[in-house]
């Protein structure tokens, strides 16, 4: 064979080998793309499920809040009706006095007379900056101080 023909044969073999290697790389990377697409699809589905669950939780809490308000309103209505009926139907004066002592209006008036606790003191309180410090006197300088170790 001629040396020129060998160069052409090596070039054709190298080209065919490159094509085969490229096809193999494309084939193996294509499977990774398919797996990546599946993972993206599963992620999107999971996000949709999470969004739906959040909406369900929000509506659930809104419904519970509404029900709790209704129960509170109904209990207040029941209490007021019981108070009215007790006022109209009781004839025992001792029982009426007992109900007046237990009435919530009196307890609310007592709570308004209480003051709210403070986290600060008046001008000479324990939180004052000069609390516990003695004023230096001139005669303190004449007294010898004990040695400090």
């Amino acid at each position: 064979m001629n040396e020129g023909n060998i160069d052409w044969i090596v070039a054709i073999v190298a080209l065919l080998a490159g094509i085969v290697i490229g096809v193999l790389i494309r084939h193996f990377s294509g499977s990774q793309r398919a797996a990546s697409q599946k993972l993206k699809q599963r992620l999107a589905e999971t996000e949709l499920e999470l969004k739906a669950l959040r909406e369900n939780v929000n509506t659930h809490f809104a419904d519970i809040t509404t029900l709790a308000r209704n129960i509170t309103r109904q209990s207040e209505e029941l209490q007021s009706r019981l108070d009215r009926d007790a006022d109209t139907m009781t004839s025992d004066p001792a029982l009426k006095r007992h109900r007046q002592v237990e009435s919530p209006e009196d307890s609310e008036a007592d709570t308004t007379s209480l003051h709210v606790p403070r986290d600060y003191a008046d001008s000479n309180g324990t939180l004052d900056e000069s609390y516990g410090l003695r004023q230096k006197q001139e005669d303190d300088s004449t007294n010898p101080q004990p040695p400090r170790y």
Side-chain angles (χ1 to χ4, degrees):
M1 282 198 156
N2 196 345
E3 288 183 14
N5 289 339
I6 292 178
D7 290 338
W8 281 102
I9 292 173
V10 170
I12 291 173
V13 169
L15 178 68
L16 289 176
I19 290 174
V20 169
I21 291 172
V23 168
L24 289 175
I25 290 174
R26 172 78 174 153
H27 175 69
F28 289 121
S29 68
S31 65
Q32 291 176 354
R33 275 195 203 132
S36 175
Q37 290 294 335
K38 287 180 184 178
L39 285 175
K40 286 180 183 178
Q41 183 178 2
R42 285 181 54 200
L43 179 63
E45 290 172 357
T46 306
E47 286 177 353
L48 286 175
E49 289 176 11
L50 181 63
K51 185 178 179 182
L53 286 174
R54 283 183 180 164
E55 289 176 2
N56 287 341
V57 167
N58 289 339
T59 56
H60 173 74
F61 281 121
D63 292 343
I64 286 179
T65 303
T66 304
L67 291 173
R69 286 182 185 151
N70 289 341
I71 289 172
T72 304
R73 182 183 46 81
Q74 289 174 355
S75 68
E76 289 171 355
E77 289 176 3
L78 179 64
Q79 183 65 37
S80 66
R81 183 165 181 180
L82 285 172
D83 289 341
R84 279 183 289 153
D85 291 345
D87 287 341
T88 58
M89 293 183 182
T90 56
S91 61
D92 186 15
L95 182 61
K96 284 186 179 182
R97 273 187 261 125
H98 186 269
R99 283 191 72 256
Q100 289 175 352
V101 169
E102 292 180 352
S103 67
E105 292 81 21
D106 293 339
S107 63
E108 289 176 8
D110 292 340
T111 58
T112 57
S113 66
L114 298 176
H115 68 285
V116 178
R118 303 179 298 182
D119 61 345
Y120 60 92
D122 293 330
S123 62
N124 294 340
T126 57
L127 296 179
D128 190 17
E129 288 184 11
S130 62
Y131 179 77
L133 300 177
R134 295 183 200 160
Q135 297 292 334
K136 289 194 173 188
Q137 300 172 357
E138 290 89 26
D139 60 346
D140 283 345
S141 62
T142 60
N143 293 337
Q145 296 291 328
R148 294 186 182 199
Y149 299 102

